[in-house]
Amino acid sequence: MTDLNVFEDAVARVERIGTAAGVAAEVIDALRQPKAVLTVDLPVRMDDGSTRHFLGYRCRYNDVLGPTKGGIRFHPDVNLEEVQALALWMSIKCAVVGIPFGGAKGGVIVHPKDLSRLELERLSRAYMRALADFVGPMIDIPAPDVYTNARIMGWMVDEYEIITRSKAPAVITGKPIALGGSLGRDEATGRGAFIVIQEFAKRKGLDPTQTRVALQGFGNAGYHVARLLDGAGYPIVAVSDSKGGIYSDTGFNIESLFQHKQDTRKLQGVYYDGANCELVDHQIISNEELLELDVDLLIPAALEGVITPENVDRIKAPIIAEVANGPIAGEVDQRLRERGTIVLPDVLTNAGGVTVSYFEWVQNLQSYSWTLEEVRARLYDILSRAFDDIWTIYQCDGGSIRDAAYTVALRRIAEAIESHGTYAFFSGD
Ligand code: NAD
């Protein structure tokens, strides 16, 4: 186990894969540090009249391919290293799917569940006030991430428009539909992951009904991928959220589980289908136990760093689809590869979210909205093409699918950097 933090780990991965793929040293240098980082103090009036100070960040990592793009996380564990790592991964992800964005990320150290709705609104607006000169439709475009949602994006776009005295829906994606959001954005990350899993299953001849799935994290991304996999016949035998998990040998009906979570705010309890309560034989498990289940497909869809040097040798699933960002650290990745575990990497598997965010931005700039069918069809086109590009390299180079995805991305970023001229051009080599 190295002492690298998550950001150093992310840079080391770029260095390793970029060098192996023959990417110029200057291009790798350009990705060693972020373009700009903003740290902000956010004073917020609490309901009891006191003022509480929150710490927030925004990192714009690399804008060579276009304005920077990335979500905003409200979570007690937010820290600068994590924000920078997530922003670097966003740069790679946008290049993997070939959309004209660079990477960014933002976060506030807060447990939003501790705030009232009014306090949450004041915090969201304070964050946008602090960021207003740092973001913009052609500069940096935030979106939702862990514990932020469409309503929060709506408050933020509203605050930005108050400050700039103009309508600017393209400054943020993942907005409510009524404020210029795109149809299909809410399900986009899960649908994208479903497309990637299906493309992989097609190439490997997997039978969905024989592919048992364990899912960690039942939020926006996790719920939608589970719903679509369930609909395609995959048995979803385990699901968890921050409070713990449940296991059923026969698999869960994801829609009724979702309804139950909405009604009770938790996963555990009597599993029911519509109005008819029925006790499905299920077992309460911990989040750690879920990761170690003997299933065919493991989907971490919560937070990063959950597969660690400590638990990696107990992970039994032969396929892991990274719906969360960075659930597997670099060194652990290598261990999984040696064991023959296939990893569908985050920079491809969860790229559906940023892809439909791109569609939302395009629709906002054109003041024209697309139908849900158009959004879904274009998402399929982009992700299946990205999968093909990556698969071709994966088959030729024999590394991991992550290596192939990074190779695609780094070559695209390299092409843009090299268009300005590198040492090879200016030295006449
Ligand atoms: P969310 O806030 O909607 O859901 C997060 C889920 O994780 C919740 O169910 C929560 O209970 C659960 N969770 C939190 N801590 C946990 C823990 N310790 N163990 C198990 N579960 C835990 O967030 P989301 O938008 O679904 O994001 C989840 C992951 O997907 C993140 O890594 C995020 O960066 C990534 N992602 C999301 C999007 C998107 O569009 N929403 C896009 C790309 C990547």
Side-chain angles (χ1 to χ4, degrees), residues 306-345:
V306 294
I307 300 180
T308 64
E310 286 69 45
N311 68 4
V312 63
D313 288 329
R314 296 193 299 275
I315 305 289
K316 299 181 194 69
I319 308 164
I320 302 176
E322 293 185 315
V323 170
N325 282 307
I328 301 172
E331 196 175 299
V332 178
D333 216 14
Q334 181 60 23
R335 176 83 192 99
L336 287 169
R337 189 184 317 175
E338 286 160 9
R339 266 184 18 199
T341 306
I342 302 271
V343 176
L344 299 174

Side-chain angles (χ1 to χ4, degrees), residues 173-421:
T173 59
K175 301 177 294 288
I177 303 293
L179 299 180
S182 176
L183 294 172
R185 176 62 186 86
D186 55 346
E187 64 164 27
T189 303
R191 179 169 291 275
F194 173 68
I195 292 168
V196 168
I197 292 167
Q198 287 284 74
E199 290 295 306
F200 177 77
K202 229 181 337 189
R203 278 157 184 88
K204 286 289 183 185
L206 294 184
D207 173 0
T209 62
Q210 301 304 312
T211 307
R212 290 152 44 85
V213 180
L215 171 79
Q216 183 190 51
F218 201 56
N220 171 282
Y223 158 62
H224 284 292
V225 69
R227 172 179 67 81
L228 291 163
L229 288 171
D230 184 21
Y234 292 76
I236 316 290
V237 297
V239 176
S240 73
D241 64 15
S242 60
K243 300 192 184 90
I246 48 178
Y247 174 84
S248 160
D249 214 25
T250 51
F252 293 107
N253 175 319
I254 293 300
E255 275 307 349
S256 41
L257 209 58
F258 178 71
Q259 275 313 318
H260 185 56
K261 183 174 158 95
Q262 293 296 99
D263 295 346
T264 64
R265 312 297 304 159
K266 61 180 182 184
L267 278 175
Q268 296 100 325
V270 178
Y271 170 80
Y272 78 112
D273 190 359
N276 299 322
C277 284
E278 57 176 18
L279 195 62
V280 166
D281 191 14
H282 76 267
Q283 211 178 308
I284 305 267
I285 54 171
S286 68
N287 260 299
E288 293 69 38
E289 287 168 332
L290 180 138
L291 293 170
E292 296 167 16
L293 287 172
D294 192 5
V295 291
D296 304 294
L297 171 61
L298 173 64
I299 305 184
L303 297 171
E304 60 269 7
V306 294
I307 300 180
T308 64
E310 286 69 45
N311 68 4
V312 63
D313 288 329
R314 296 193 299 275
I315 305 289
K316 299 181 194 69
I319 308 164
I320 302 176
E322 293 185 315
V323 170
N325 282 307
I328 301 172
E331 196 175 299
V332 178
D333 216 14
Q334 181 60 23
R335 176 83 192 99
L336 287 169
R337 189 184 317 175
E338 286 160 9
R339 266 184 18 199
T341 306
I342 302 271
V343 176
L344 299 174
D346 50 4
V347 290
L348 171 68
T349 309
N350 69 29
V354 74
T355 303
V356 176
S357 273
Y358 164 57
F359 297 162
E360 182 175 332
W361 180 74
V362 169
Q363 291 170 77
N364 291 155
L365 293 178
Q366 295 179 338
S367 299
Y368 183 79
S369 41
W370 305 349
T371 63
L372 182 59
E373 289 65 36
E374 278 177 283
V375 168
R376 286 178 175 169
R378 288 175 200 258
L379 175 65
Y380 177 76
D381 284 349
I382 286 188
L383 284 184
S384 56
R385 197 168 55 227
F387 192 96
D388 271 345
D389 292 344
I390 292 166
W391 196 255
T392 304
I393 293 182
Y394 172 62
Q395 298 292 69
C396 288
D397 291 2
S400 67
I401 301 180
R402 191 191 312 281
D403 285 7
Y406 270 62
T407 300
V408 166
L410 291 171
R411 285 183 180 157
R412 285 194 176 128
I413 293 170
E415 213 180 316
I417 291 177
E418 284 165 1
S419 311
H420 297 293

